[in-house]
Amino acid sequence: ELCEITNEIDEVATKASKAMGGGILGIDIMEDEKRGFVVHEVNNTVEFKGLARVARRNIPKEMVEYALNYVRK
């Protein structure tokens, strides 16, 4: 099901991405009653089949655009 990306989720994911050097990453986040959102895994390969079914954005297209823009720099 669709999960709205809140400012808090965005902040946690951004910090995890920066810690890993950025790029296209799969960041798994869980919610803990006491600690809030917690990253429990960061993957350098991503599977987005399930996400693509509910996302409002075209994830594969954005991944390709990101990669093309990265190599053009």
Side-chain angles (χ1 to χ4, degrees), residues 37-72:
F37 293 106
V38 179
V39 173
H40 70 93
E41 184 175 36
V42 178
N43 299 291
N44 66 336
T45 57
V46 294
E47 293 199 22
F48 52 86
K49 289 180 278 186
L51 174 62
R53 290 186 197 127
V54 296
R56 292 187 181 128
R57 298 166 73 171
N58 185 333
I59 307 262
K61 178 182 177 208
E62 291 196 23
M63 290 172 68
V64 169
E65 288 174 355
Y66 175 88
L68 290 172
N69 289 331
Y70 182 81
V71 297
R72 288 179 181 147

Side-chain angles (χ1 to χ4, degrees), residues 3-15 29 37:
C3 173
E4 294 295 330
I5 306 301
T6 64
N7 289 339
E8 186 178 5
I9 292 172
D10 181 62
E11 182 180 328
V12 169
T14 299
K15 286 180 180 179
I29 300 173
F37 293 106

